[in-house]
Amino acid sequence: MQKFSLNRRQTLIGLGAAGTMLGLGIPARANTKVNLGVIRLASHAPSFIAFERGYYKDEGLDVELKYFEAAQPMAVAIASGDADYGVTAMSGGLISLAEKDAVKVIGGALTEEKGLVGAIILASNKAYEAGLTHPKELAGKSFGITTAGSSFHFMAHKIAQANNIPLSEITLRPLQKVGAVVGALSSGQIDSWAIQSSIGKKMIAEGSAKEIGLVSDYAPDYQVTTVFTSTNNAANEREKTEAFIRAYSKAVDDYNKAFVDKTADAEEVDAIAQICHKYVEADLPFEQAKNNLVEGSMRINKNLALSLKSVTEQLEWFKSEGMVKGNITPEMLFDTSYVETI
């Protein structure tokens, strides 16, 4: 009897401890498999920071990074179950998948902010020498995008709109992959492009393109990338999804302190830059890649807050352009139960 009483008491103590741990937000499950869609861009730095610093593991997540070249294929992978979470721009493909009840946007990530460099509007050397020195001169010129309905397409719309240029007067050149757009601009096959400063500054430093403007001048508060997942994960895997958001948000804080707010000490900046360099611009010398991060990083929303105004504007633009069905509502696309909306 004595032995039974002690075991029972120990069991009750253990259950109480487990309850306390859950109350503190410590995950109930360990080693939950998660595939995370990423692109080798500085904007995905928190994906890599959380991976390398063990933030996912701390939340009981066993994360595998799955690499993509553009937003649309990532959205398809999320819908099919080949990836669990993705952090990338809203695209026509993503919105159409939401209309089919396959994916949900659950948070916000990269954002344009006045006063930060953000995405740079570039001209090829050939076009610059021919007079393309300002975005107001884009009429009759070509502009590189990955795919129709990509973030590059939306940025072209915002730049054209602000400069009173009908978008139909700019020739959009879909080239599928970021690397292909880099090559086309460098060789003068296209006239212009807009890209995150980590890539833009590298091209400028190499002498393969010229800066002619900043996207933040035309689209301040633009929610450039979002966090999304399958509808099933959003609706039925809340514990896993909340654990992912907590881990990713911790890495976002590291990233913003090091590169955006610049409140981290030199040792921490070096440590974060070393992590990023392993995945982004690994072909560059470390000091050059670090400088690109320090001088050109864009803010990622704290706790992955979602700019509902910006993403709703993007949804309405996709609908007005006929790239998605007109009956798609914000409720079909956004699950706002996970993060703050701003």
Side-chain angles (χ1 to χ4, degrees):
M1 292 294 292
Q2 176 104 17
K3 184 177 180 181
F4 173 79
S5 177
L6 284 170
N7 285 344
R8 182 174 181 275
R9 186 180 299 115
Q10 288 168 345
T11 300
L12 290 172
I13 290 169
L15 288 172
T20 301
M21 288 170 73
L22 286 170
L24 292 172
I26 297 174
R29 295 181 295 175
N31 301 318
T32 300
K33 296 285 185 182
V34 169
N35 289 324
L36 172 60
V38 294
I39 301 175
R40 290 184 182 275
L41 295 172
S43 58
H44 284 255
S47 300
F48 311 128
I49 295 166
F51 184 79
E52 293 289 336
R53 288 195 156 180
Y55 296 162
Y56 299 128
K57 287 184 178 179
D58 291 345
E59 291 290 347
L61 303 178
D62 181 8
V63 168
E64 179 181 345
L65 303 178
K66 294 183 72 76
Y67 296 94
F68 295 86
E69 294 284 348
Q72 199 130 310
M74 191 187 296
V76 173
I78 297 285
S80 69
D82 289 338
D84 292 293
Y85 302 97
V87 182
T88 193
M90 277 176 52
S91 64
L94 185 152
I95 295 169
S96 295
L97 288 167
E99 189 265 336
K100 295 178 173 64
D101 200 30
V103 300
K104 293 285 187 186
V105 170
I106 58 171
L110 198 70
T111 189
E112 286 285 351
E113 182 177 313
K114 201 75 171 174
L116 296 178
V117 174
I120 299 173
I121 307 168
L122 300 170
S124 70
N125 290 331
K126 180 181 175 182
Y128 189 87
E129 289 163 9
L132 179 56
T133 59
H134 190 279
K136 67 184 179 184
E137 294 147 350
L138 278 168
K141 305 296 191 299
S142 58
F143 189 99
I145 62 175
T146 47
T147 58
S150 63
S151 60
F152 303 110
H153 192 168
F154 183 74
M155 285 189 283
H157 152 69
K158 293 295 285 185
I159 295 163
Q161 182 184 57
N163 286 283
N164 298 311
I165 302 170
L167 190 55
S168 60
E169 292 185 9
I170 300 174
T171 302
L172 299 176
R173 291 281 305 280
L175 294 164
Q176 303 306 316
K177 298 180 179 181
V178 168
V181 189
V182 171
L185 190 71
S186 300
S187 61
Q189 295 175 63
I190 58 173
D191 298 316
S192 60
W193 187 32
I195 185 61
Q196 293 168 22
S197 58
S198 59
I199 293 177
K201 282 179 174 281
K202 179 182 177 184
M203 295 185 72
I204 293 164
E206 291 173 346
S208 57
K210 297 288 195 298
E211 178 179 335
I212 61 171
L214 298 176
V215 170
S216 60
D217 290 336
Y218 307 109
D221 306 318
Y222 165 38
Q223 184 73 75
V224 184
T225 62
T226 59
V227 183
F228 64 104
T229 189
S230 66
T231 300
N232 179 65
N233 274 341
N236 302 318
E237 295 286 351
R238 190 161 198 95
E239 183 181 295
K240 178 174 78 173
T241 302
E242 288 178 341
F244 171 76
I245 288 172
R246 284 194 299 270
Y248 203 93
S249 296
K250 189 173 181 181
V252 167
D253 287 344
D254 291 350
Y255 166 90
N256 283 335
K257 288 174 185 175
F259 302 137
V260 182
D261 297 319
K262 297 179 173 58
T263 55
D265 61 30
E267 184 178 351
E268 171 71 351
V269 172
D270 268 1
I272 298 293
Q274 289 282 6
I275 290 172
C276 296
H277 189 232
K278 182 176 177 180
Y279 297 92
V280 182
E281 297 185 337
D283 58 322
L284 292 182
F286 170 68
E287 287 300 327
Q288 186 179 342
K290 173 187 166 185
N291 184 66
N292 287 347
L293 287 164
V294 171
E295 297 301 321
S297 287
M298 298 167 64
R299 185 172 303 282
I300 297 176
N301 291 346
K302 185 175 179 60
N303 296 325
L304 300 179
L306 179 67
S307 176
L308 197 56
K309 179 180 177 182
S310 176
V311 291
T312 301
E313 177 195 4
Q314 292 175 60
L315 171 60
E316 293 306 314
W317 174 74
F318 279 110
K319 289 161 66 173
S320 71
E321 292 291 312
M323 287 185 280
V324 299
K325 291 182 180 178
N327 65 338
I328 300 176
T329 64
E331 291 72 25
M332 294 166 118
L333 180 57
F334 310 120
D335 180 339
T336 58
S337 68
Y338 283 96
V339 302
E340 178 188 2
T341 56
I342 54 176

